[in-house]
Amino acid sequence: MLLSRYFLPVLRETPAEAQIVSHRLMLRSGMIKQASAGIYSWLPLGYRVLRNIERIVHEEQARAGHIPMLMPTVQSADLWRESGRYDDYGEEMLRISDRHGHDLLYGPTNEELITDIFRTHVQSYRDLPLTLYHIQWKFRDEIRPRFGIMRGREFYMKDGYNFDVDREAALHAYNRHMVSYLRTYERMGLQAIPMRAASGPIGGDDTHEFLVLADTGESEVFYDSEITDLKLGDRQLNYDDRDECAAIAREFTSPYARTDETHDEALFLNVPEARRRTSRGIEVGQIFYFGTKYSEPMGATVQDPQGRPVPVHMGSHGIGVSRLAGAIIEASHDDDGIIWPEEVAPFRVGIINVKQGDSATDSACEALYAKMSSAGIETLYDDREERAGAKFATMDLIGLPWRVTAGPRGLAKGKVELHCRRTGQSEELDLGAVVERMCA
Ligand code: ATP
Ligand code: MG
């Protein structure tokens, strides 16, 4: 992408309304614009990040064997009356009525809709296990939307639903989700710690939230510092192996880690004092096992191997796709701006032409940009007639992992500078070696 033709409305001033760093940086780098309270437009740069997060979520869901689909944002109130949640959900639900006087709502979550799809089409245990998911906009009329897209009213969420013949099978689905979520967050450069949580309006007994530690997080968390040493890494995983998933879930849930909602001071005191930590965290996902809470009232049954109808065992699983953009920034920035992890970065490389208008420099940059693009490297070329200082500030602000700087002095020797945003290290490199280096 040529920056001169792109839409990147960077702000020089720090917006007064932004209280936390991710919100400030998202506004300053032209990623988002508030449309109304808790509702945002994703401008081109932010949209690229959102799509990358979404892609990682899809890829990891596919790896775990979960099936993507798409359900609507607007739902009929009748389904929610069947489960009893139309009244229970409270004021966070945006209730709408259409021109015929039918009650509709903008979905805050999808348990009812998916259970209705399931009961219509699945009758036998032979069709199980089944896990369906979608990534769709949700609306919750939060009393205090704040921190930009971190606590929005409209937000983008991956929500998945497992259907299993019995409790054991459903608990495997629970563990499988835990493992695949851990992998998902690690790919985004995040450590998200599973913590025993309270279930809220979704219901059920077994539930874990995934929290990214950050001073600006809304939850208070208590944990054994040992848990921060755990990493999934590139272990080979077989998501169908119940014992393997259970072992990983045990590994990551054995050290004490809870939010204030479930914190147990007596248990916490068993953790050696030097390892006890109290901090704040951002919730980036949650998994639930709730058994037959929805299948029973909504009549979602399957025939078991003996031919008896049994209500299907379910769980649901959510990842805050849009919130993650903010959480990643909270976890990865410095005074100059964002530091994107490679997999979510809006572009991988930025090219800075320090002497725009100098024909030799222009043509070297153009040739490099063309080569990068044809090698499939996502590149943003700053070809604007701007001072070099302003170009550097913009690049640092938007946080691309790599920057190539080209100027007449270096080019005279056939050299450019390659700079790594994360380490801050620079090296001189042959112009001809840049593409190869980026593909290594
Ligand atoms: P919270 O406690 O933060 O209000 P929740 O527990 O009500 O969230 P879930 O139903 O567990 O939310 O939704 C799954 C995920 O969606 C959450 O883990 C979070 O990452 C994200 N999410 C929930 N509410 C919002 C919101 N208002 N804005 C942005 N993301 C949200
Ligand atoms: Mg939650």
Side-chain angles (χ1 to χ4, degrees):
M1 180 59 62
L2 298 179
L3 188 41
S4 63
R5 297 195 194 159
Y6 200 44
F7 181 66
L8 185 70
V10 243
L11 307 179
R12 212 160 286 141
E13 305 299 321
T14 299
E17 75 269 28
Q19 299 163 29
I20 63 170
V21 68
S22 58
H23 189 195
R24 275 198 295 277
L25 289 174
M26 289 183 88
L27 291 171
R28 283 194 51 216
S29 62
M31 289 178 65
I32 53 169
K33 182 183 185 310
Q34 182 176 303
S36 60
I39 303 178
Y40 287 82
S41 299
W42 290 75
L43 306 183
L45 194 77
Y47 182 59
R48 290 183 77 101
V49 171
L50 190 66
R51 283 286 168 261
N52 285 341
I53 294 171
E54 185 179 3
R55 175 182 44 78
I56 293 171
V57 172
H58 276 305
E59 286 172 3
E60 293 305 324
Q61 288 300 303
R63 205 190 290 273
H66 305 159
I67 305 169
M69 61 181 293
L70 187 61
M71 289 176 271
T73 53
V74 175
Q75 304 181 24
S76 158
D78 289 339
L79 276 180
W80 287 67
R81 292 197 175 99
E82 280 190 55
S83 72
R85 278 209 297 182
Y86 190 64
D87 294 324
D88 291 351
Y89 210 93
E91 297 207 281
E92 271 186 20
M93 186 190 283
L94 182 65
R95 294 152 208 265
I96 311 166
S97 66
D98 69 12
R99 63 180 359 167
H100 307 293
H102 295 145
D103 293 331
L104 300 172
L105 56 99
Y106 196 116
T109 176
N110 281 59
E111 282 80 7
E112 285 76 0
L113 202 52
I114 197 81
T115 305
D116 180 53
I117 293 170
F118 180 89
R119 70 180 171 188
T120 308
H121 295 291
V122 181
Q123 274 86 37
S124 164
Y125 76 96
R126 286 196 194 83
D127 298 323
L128 306 182
L130 179 66
T131 297
L132 300 167
Y133 78 94
H134 72 163
I135 302 182
Q136 177 62 289
W137 293 95
K138 302 290 182 293
F139 196 94
R140 294 182 189 172
D141 203 355
E142 301 275 355
I143 188 158
R144 217 154 44 108
R146 57 183 187 153
F147 302 156
I149 47 79
M150 291 272 244
R151 179 163 299 283
R153 293 199 296 165
E154 188 182 57
F155 60 97
Y156 204 38
M157 176 168 132
K158 172 262 164 179
D159 44 320
Y161 306 86
N162 68 285
F163 300 91
D164 286 280
V165 69
D166 57 25
R167 182 182 155 83
E168 277 59 50
L171 287 177
H172 170 57
Y174 187 85
N175 292 334
R176 190 178 67 231
H177 277 86
M178 182 172 296
V179 176
S180 89
Y181 276 26
L182 288 169
R183 240 191 104 105
T184 304
Y185 300 123
E186 279 188 16
R187 275 187 66 186
M188 297 175 191
L190 286 176
Q191 179 167 48
I193 302 173
M195 300 199 183
R196 181 160 291 287
S199 62
I202 310 276
D205 308 325
D206 282 297
T207 177
H208 280 85
E209 287 175 350
F210 293 79
L211 285 112
V212 172
L213 300 175
D215 297 339
T216 48
E218 291 186 287
S219 318
E220 190 175 16
V221 299
F222 303 83
Y223 62 97
D224 176 342
S225 64
E226 277 207 327
I227 202 164
T228 57
D229 298 332
L230 297 177
K231 231 181 173 345
L232 207 54
D234 45 14
R235 293 182 214 188
Q236 288 299 311
L237 299 170
N238 176 1
Y239 283 107
D240 290 333
D241 186 329
R242 288 189 182 189
D243 295 338
E244 193 181 334
C245 290
I248 296 174
R250 236 184 344 266
E251 178 186 345
F252 280 80
T253 55
S254 297
Y256 187 92
R258 294 193 179 191
T259 65
D260 47 1
E261 289 171 341
T262 54
H263 178 56
D264 180 331
E265 191 64 27
L267 277 180
F268 192 46
L269 289 176
N270 293 335
V271 177
E273 191 172 358
R275 299 203 320 240
R276 267 179 240 148
R277 299 280 187 283
T278 305
S279 155
R280 302 198 71 81
I282 301 166
E283 182 193 327
V284 292
Q286 186 163 8
I287 55 177
F288 302 86
Y289 164 67
F290 45 68
T292 58
K293 177 179 156 99
Y294 297 90
S295 56
E296 232 162 328
M298 295 184 66
T301 56
V302 289
Q303 302 242 308
D304 73 4
Q306 285 74 43
R308 295 171 306 207
V310 291
V312 71
H313 283 250
M314 291 174 62
S316 70
H317 321 275
I319 293 183
V321 174
S322 52
R323 179 181 286 180
L324 272 164
I328 292 167
I329 298 174
E330 290 292 329
S332 184
H333 66 271
D334 63 14
D335 290 345
D336 297 323
I338 303 167
I339 304 174
W340 288 116
E342 294 255 350
E343 285 225 52
V344 290
F347 296 92
R348 186 145 171 257
V349 183
I351 300 175
I352 288 188
N353 178 342
V354 296
K355 199 155 187 209
Q356 204 72 45
D358 173 69
S359 64
T361 312
D362 290 357
S363 54
C365 287
E366 279 158 27
L368 176 62
Y369 172 67
K371 251 176 94 180
M372 299 278 256
S373 304
S374 56
I377 302 165
E378 293 185 328
T379 305
L380 182 66
Y381 168 27
D382 191 345
D383 60 335
R384 296 168 306 157
E385 307 274 343
E386 269 278 1
R387 286 180 305 110
K391 291 190 177 186
F392 285 118
T394 300
M395 269 313 163
D396 283 343
L397 176 64
I398 68 173
L400 309 186
W402 299 96
R403 182 184 80 204
V404 178
T405 306
R409 217 172 324 136
L411 285 171
K413 301 177 287 172
K415 303 279 191 190
V416 292
E417 183 209 61
L418 180 67
H419 175 85
C420 173
R421 178 74 178 88
R422 185 165 294 280
T423 64
Q425 281 172 351
S426 300
E427 62 181 291
E428 220 182 32
L429 202 66
D430 283 341
L431 175 60
V434 175
V435 171
E436 203 179 308
R437 178 65 196 281
M438 284 294 109
C439 293

